[in-house]
Amino acid sequence: MLLRVKRTSPFNILWEFLFCYWLGQTIFDLWGWDFDSSTWSSSPALADLEGYCVEKIVGGYTKLGKNRRVAWRIYDLPPHYGTVTISFRLYFVDSWDANDEFIVLYDDTNELLRTNSNPTIGNVCGSGSWPERGFSDRIASIASHQAHTLKLVFLGNLDEDESNESFGFNNIVISLKLCYPTCDYCDGPLYTDCTACTGTLYLWYGQCLNPCPDGWYAATTTNECLPCHSSVVNPLSCTTCNGPNSNNCLTCGPNSYLQVSTST
């Protein structure tokens, strides 16, 4: 289950429109709040990840700070290709220093974003002893991604505990370029750009088909259409077949005849 949108302001609606139509198709829109903690984890473990800073966030004051990270794993990304664009709103709470950084990783070790805090905005949601550094909307991209899973890891490069410096985030939007519906993997948007197929379809020159064209058979182990036996001398080529060998022919070409093998 994923966080889903509650569009609460004209800004949110405009931002989603621009993100969707300018950068790609928005697949997971996590604005608003419908938090499913089962897909999130924290290290060291934190019993409750929900916080508040003007609006509901993941983390925040006394929750996410020095030496703590939180991860979100997505298991069901639809087939896609090329650049994955990710937008999120970051919150910098309490006494962030010039050398403190907010870091976002993907798939555990790959750096997606490293950023410093904003100018102060006053005491809003922290301890009250320090003015907050506010929030900031950021966009980052993964240059090439095709996997059906994605893990995002949020952490702060901070030197004080979460009672003095903490961070949070919300409004995550992931934008994907979708494959053609018959593709399970692809390298472009067309029906001829498939590199692997969904369900009971078989790959043939970038297309996903069932049945395979004449002269080809369905290889169920690799989900590909592979060529039938082909020869200009006996045994001659198969027109249709169920395997690669001459004895796998089901029908024959012009001026040739199918010899049916029997056993007693």
Side-chain angles (χ1 to χ4, degrees):
M1 181 179 178
L2 301 170
L3 308 184
R4 286 294 172 192
V5 162
K6 293 181 181 177
R7 297 175 178 83
T8 55
S9 74
F11 173 78
N12 284 7
I13 296 171
L14 176 62
W15 176 250
E16 182 184 353
F17 176 85
L18 293 174
F19 199 86
C20 180
Y21 291 99
W22 176 39
L23 296 174
Q25 182 169 358
T26 301
I27 302 303
F28 300 111
D29 186 345
L30 313 184
W31 298 62
W33 198 258
D34 183 15
F35 185 64
D36 175 23
S37 61
S38 66
T39 57
W40 291 82
S41 62
S42 58
S43 177
L46 192 65
D48 181 12
L49 289 172
E50 292 188 29
Y52 190 83
C53 188
V54 182
E55 57 185 342
K56 286 186 177 181
I57 61 174
V58 175
Y61 177 59
T62 73
K63 292 183 179 292
L64 298 181
K66 179 182 177 182
N67 298 326
R68 193 182 296 274
R69 60 177 59 198
V70 61
W72 179 42
R73 185 178 293 277
I74 309 162
Y75 292 97
D76 54 356
L77 286 176
H80 59 281
Y81 69 96
T83 301
V84 174
T85 305
I86 304 172
S87 167
F88 30 73
R89 176 170 291 177
L90 309 180
Y91 289 80
F92 309 90
V93 182
D94 279 339
S95 64
W96 279 62
D97 304 314
N99 60 333
D100 293 331
E101 295 176 308
F102 198 123
I103 302 169
V104 184
L105 309 176
Y106 69 94
D107 296 336
D108 287 318
T109 59
N110 302 294
E111 187 171 301
L112 180 65
L113 178 74
R114 182 183 293 264
T115 185
N116 298 106
S117 62
N118 288 349
T120 59
I121 62 170
N123 293 318
V124 177
C125 58
S127 65
S129 300
W130 305 92
E132 266 65 67
R133 295 288 181 172
F135 63 84
S136 178
D137 294 311
R138 304 295 171 92
I139 296 177
S141 297
I142 302 172
S144 180
H145 188 274
Q146 292 183 317
H148 295 324
T149 62
L150 177 65
K151 184 179 181 181
L152 297 178
V153 180
F154 299 83
L155 64 148
N157 181 18
L158 307 176
D159 55 9
E160 299 179 46
D161 65 30
E162 51 267 24
S163 64
N164 286 326
E165 297 175 342
S166 58
F167 64 92
F169 55 90
N170 64 5
N171 291 6
I172 304 173
V173 180
I174 300 176
S175 178
L176 308 175
K177 298 175 182 177
L178 295 186
C179 297
Y180 194 77
T182 57
C183 307
D184 194 31
Y185 290 90
C186 71
D187 53 20
L190 304 178
Y191 73 96
T192 54
D193 290 329
C194 302
T195 57
C197 300
T198 59
T200 58
L201 301 179
Y202 299 92
L203 186 66
W204 183 74
Y205 290 111
Q207 301 179 57
C208 290
L209 308 172
N210 191 358
C212 292
D214 286 355
W216 302 76
Y217 71 95
T220 56
T221 55
T222 59
N223 277 69
E224 297 176 279
C225 292
L226 297 179
C228 297
H229 168 74
S230 178
S231 176
V232 295
V233 298
N234 285 326
L236 297 173
S237 300
C238 308
T239 298
T240 61
C241 67
N242 58 11
N245 302 315
S246 60
N247 60 355
N248 292 129
C249 291
L250 300 175
T251 59
C252 300
N255 304 317
S256 60
Y257 303 92
L258 183 66
Q259 181 179 13
V260 180
S261 299
T262 60
S263 59
T264 58

